[in-house]
């Protein structure tokens, strides 16, 4: 569906995307994970055929985005990072108008609009203007609009950023259904849990480059341990590095952060017992499963959401 | 899939008309009632003092000027904030760009929308002044055509301008240094022979002047100052150059 080799995007002398290779198979849910400025949106805009690659090879649905942009766009559904709904149209008109851009007949546009309003649970707001909608509703409407042409690939740039947990879960559930119908999903996120919930496969991006690739599980297995112990010390802050030194040898790895020490071990409880045996007395302790956040921390030395 | 049942530029036109359905009441005053009030007060009131221009009563002389100037102001005004806004604030043009709609379709849809609005305003206006006896020749039926050409000749370059700027404060310059001089010095209210020779070229480059002369020759049944083909040619030049420039600007603006 999507094939990119050594893809580069430059803005002036600034390189936003610095030679990435990506391949997405039909029906797959693929994720770009990375911190602010990693180049996720720049990559997504190239894939949506609205921004031309500076160099490298890019093929979408077997076609060249520069030459066949219009034909490719006809088969994509794009949900950009910033919503650009038509603020002076109603919820329903936003969908019917968009259907016409894809050359659909009015009747077909109305039929699909109603179907999609049900799908994203906005039927009761059909006649309302866009402006008073909540952030989550706007996002759902944007996703509905991206699906009006029954696209082969849906591109979602940070679909749930800025939403409350309830709105996020509703969106995830809708996206999950979309995936079950066999639609190829490509999304960007800087939420670990989102990537773990939705993505079959993902790449971790940092500074315009891909630093790791795999399924969420395989990434965790490769770059982290099964469990992580988070330790906080009452006089932490400056001393975390010292505490970490005292724990060396326990588990696989010890990582001092400004506010806590992370101890990577396949058996968290056993590691914790060893910490106590060495006479260390953390003020709080949390043993948890390893997440993509830990993978990211390990790969880049930085936390993901700042 | 039922693809290809509508041309993308028509889809854009429909979107603009859907928006207009919400606003048309507000625009009736400025695009129709205002020019009519204008004709009554200036044409009949001022005309009572002025008497006649070049042997024609002032009302009949000024009507074609006001028609063309209404089209001019509408084409210009509707291509400023509305266009910049769809690039910058609502980003509606970016939304269109993510579909098979291309920059040239977006421009075409906007121009078609203006043609629709201007033609309705011009026809209603002509109908009203017909009852004042201000149309003296059957050639008056060509007035909507001249106004349509003027609309594209004006709106296209203004769209190119709106697509090139980042702040709406630039529009103040456009109104002050383009719209007002063009409205005053294009033979709408008085023949341009009254202008000092140095200022007359302002009229020659202004698309409004060419359209005013075409409209006036049509409603009065007289020959325009330049050959018809020359006036039409100047308008076409503006329209074509403006359209080419605007398509390029739209494309660049939507690239990012
Ligand atoms: N049109 C542009 N002109 C200049 N620089 C740009 C442009 N678009 C993006 N950039 C730069 O490219 C870099 C990558 O931006 P991009 O939006 O792709 O990051 P991102 O991974 O989507 O980040 P975020 O999580 O904040 O959305 C940033 O440093 C940004 O400033
Ligand atoms: Mg982004």
């Amino acid at each position: 569906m999507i094939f990119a080799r050594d893809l580069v995007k430059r803005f002036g002398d600034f390189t936003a995307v610095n030679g990435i290779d990506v391949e997405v198979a039909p029906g797959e849910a693929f994720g770009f994970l990375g911190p602010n400025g990693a180049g996720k949106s720049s990559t997504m805009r190239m894939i949506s055929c609205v921004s031309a690659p500076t160099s490298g090879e890019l093929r979408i649905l077997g076609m060249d985005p520069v030459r066949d942009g219009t034909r490719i766009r006809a088969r994509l559904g794009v949900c950009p990072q910033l919503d650009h709904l038509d603020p002076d149209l109603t919820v329903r008109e936003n969908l019917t108008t968009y259907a016409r851009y894809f050359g659909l007949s009015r009747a077909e546009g109305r039929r699909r609009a109603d179907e999609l309003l049900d799908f994203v649970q906005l039927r009761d707001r059909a006649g309302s203007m866009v402006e008073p909608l909540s952030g989550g509703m706007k996002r759902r409407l944007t996703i509905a609009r991206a699906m009006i042409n029954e696209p082969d690939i849906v591109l979602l740039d940070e679909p749930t950023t800025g939403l409350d947990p309830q709105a996020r879960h509703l969106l995830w559930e809708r996206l999950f259904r979309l995936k079950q119908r066999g639609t190829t999903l490509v999304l960007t996120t800087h939420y670990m849990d989102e990537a773990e919930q939705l993505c079959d496969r993902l790449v971790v991006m940092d500074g315009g480059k891909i630093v790791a690739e795999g399924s969420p599980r395989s990434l965790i297995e490769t770059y982290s341990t099964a469990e992580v112990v988070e330790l906080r010390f009452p006089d932490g802050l400056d001393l975390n590095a010292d505490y970490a030194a005292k724990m060396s040898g326990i588990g696989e790895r010890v990582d001092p952060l400004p506010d806590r020490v992370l101890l990577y071990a396949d058996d968290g409880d056993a590691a914790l017992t060893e910490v106590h045996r060495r006479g260390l007395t953390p003020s709080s302790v949390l043993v948890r499963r390893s997440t993509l956040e830990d993978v990211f921390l390990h790969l880049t030395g930085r936390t993901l959401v700042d | 899939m039922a693809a290809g049942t509508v041309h993308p530029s028509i889809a854009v036109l429909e979107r603009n008309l859907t928006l207009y359905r919400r606003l048309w009441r507000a625009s009736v005053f400025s695009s129709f009632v205002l020019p009519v009030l204008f004709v009554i007060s200036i044409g009949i009131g001022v005309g009572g003092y002025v008497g006649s221009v070049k042997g024609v009563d002032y009302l009949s002389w000024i009507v074609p000027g006001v028609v063309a100037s209404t089209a001019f102001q509408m084409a210009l005004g509707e291509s400023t904030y509305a266009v910049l806004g769809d690039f910058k604030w609502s980003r509606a043009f970016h939304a269109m760009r993510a579909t098979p709609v291309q920059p040239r379709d977006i421009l075409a849809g906007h121009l078609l929308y203006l043609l629709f609005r201007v033609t309705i305003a011009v026809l209603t206006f002509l109908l009203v002044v017909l009852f004042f006896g201000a149309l003296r020749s059957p050639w008056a039926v060509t007035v909507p055509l001249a106004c349509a050409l003027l609309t594209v000749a004006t709106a296209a370059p203004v769209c190119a301008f709106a697509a090139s700027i980042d702040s709406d404060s630039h529009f103040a310059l456009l109104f002050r240094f383009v719209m007002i001089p063009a409205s005053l010095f294009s033979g709408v209210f008085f023949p341009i022979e009254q202008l000092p020779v140095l200022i007359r070229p302002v009229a020659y480059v202004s698309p409004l002047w060419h359209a005013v002369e075409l409209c006036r020759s049509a409603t009065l049944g007289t020959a325009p100052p330049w050959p018809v083909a020359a006036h039409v040619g100047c308008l076409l030049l503006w329209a074509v150059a403006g359209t080419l420039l605007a398509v390029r600007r739209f494309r660049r603006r939507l690239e990012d």
Side-chain angles (χ1 to χ4, degrees), chain A residues 16 25 29 35 58 78 82-83 94 141 159 176 178 203 206 208 213 217 235 240 254 259 274 288:
Chain A
L58 179 61
V78 178
L82 298 172
D83 287 323
N94 259 282
L141 179 57
F176 193 73
L178 205 58
V203 290
D206 190 34
E213 172 174 0
R217 175 172 298 272
D235 50 0
N240 276 346
V254 188
D259 61 331
E274 176 65 15
R288 57 168 175 81

Side-chain angles (χ1 to χ4, degrees), chain A residues 38-60:
Chain A
K40 305 182 298 290
S41 297
S42 306
T43 306
M44 290 295 259
R45 285 206 301 274
M46 286 191 277
I47 298 176
S48 11
C49 307
V50 294
S51 140
T54 309
S55 72
E57 194 185 343
L58 179 61
R59 300 195 72 75
I60 319 283

Side-chain angles (χ1 to χ4, degrees), chain A residues 11 14 16 35-42 45 81 158 190:
Chain A
F11 299 103
F14 181 78
N36 293 125
K40 305 182 298 290
S41 297
S42 306
R45 285 206 301 274
Q81 183 164 358
E158 300 195 12
H190 36 211

Side-chain angles (χ1 to χ4, degrees), chain B residues 10-256:
Chain B
I10 302 297
V12 176
L13 167 67
E14 286 178 6
R15 176 251 179 188
N16 291 337
L17 289 175
T18 310
L19 286 175
Y20 182 58
R21 268 216 313 256
R22 295 238 153 71
L23 307 168
W24 71 272
R25 268 172 251 270
S27 77
V28 163
F29 185 75
S30 59
S31 63
F32 168 60
V33 179
L34 207 57
V36 169
L37 289 177
F38 198 82
V39 162
I40 293 173
S41 68
I42 305 282
I44 299 175
V46 178
Y49 292 95
V50 176
S52 60
V53 180
K54 294 179 170 178
V56 180
D57 69 281
Y58 192 57
L59 178 65
S60 301
W61 192 85
I62 200 178
V63 151
V66 174
V67 172
S69 138
T70 303
F72 175 73
Q73 299 201 2
M74 212 178 215
L76 190 144
E78 292 286 322
S79 302
T80 51
Y81 295 96
V83 171
L84 178 64
D86 280 345
F87 277 117
K88 196 177 157 77
W89 299 306
S90 80
R91 293 174 65 84
F93 289 165
H94 290 83
M96 296 176 190
R97 182 70 182 121
T99 74
V101 174
Q102 298 187 42
R104 59 163 187 257
D105 303 318
I106 299 176
L107 180 71
H110 178 72
L111 294 177
L112 287 171
Y113 165 69
L114 288 182
L115 287 173
F116 171 84
R117 295 263 320 261
V118 164
T119 303
I120 301 245
V122 165
L123 287 176
T124 339
F125 188 84
L126 288 178
L127 200 68
V128 171
V129 295
L130 183 64
F131 291 109
F132 285 87
L135 304 182
R136 304 173 143 214
S137 154
W139 280 104
V141 297
T142 61
V143 166
L145 286 179
C147 288
L149 192 51
L150 172 66
T151 301
V152 179
T154 307
V158 175
C159 283
F161 179 70
S164 313
I165 60 176
D166 215 44
S167 152
D168 59 355
S169 59
H170 292 88
F171 289 138
L173 301 177
L174 182 74
F175 293 135
R176 214 167 295 155
F177 295 108
V178 177
M179 187 171 99
I180 294 178
S183 303
L184 291 178
F185 304 138
S186 293
V188 175
F189 307 105
F190 55 88
I192 63 159
E193 292 88 74
Q194 310 274 14
L195 288 172
V197 180
L198 273 179
I199 297 185
R200 243 176 262 170
V202 172
Y204 298 152
V205 297
S206 158
L208 178 55
W209 178 64
H210 297 285
V212 165
E213 294 300 352
L214 286 174
C215 290
R216 188 163 288 142
S217 86
T219 61
L220 301 182
T222 54
W226 294 6
V228 171
H231 288 302
V232 171
C234 286
L235 285 167
L236 275 177
L237 195 66
W238 271 104
V240 171
T243 302
L244 291 177
L245 184 64
V247 169
R248 278 184 44 177
R249 294 298 176 163
F250 272 42
R251 201 173 285 148
R252 171 137 0 132
R253 181 84 179 227
L254 292 173
E255 215 158 52
D256 67 3

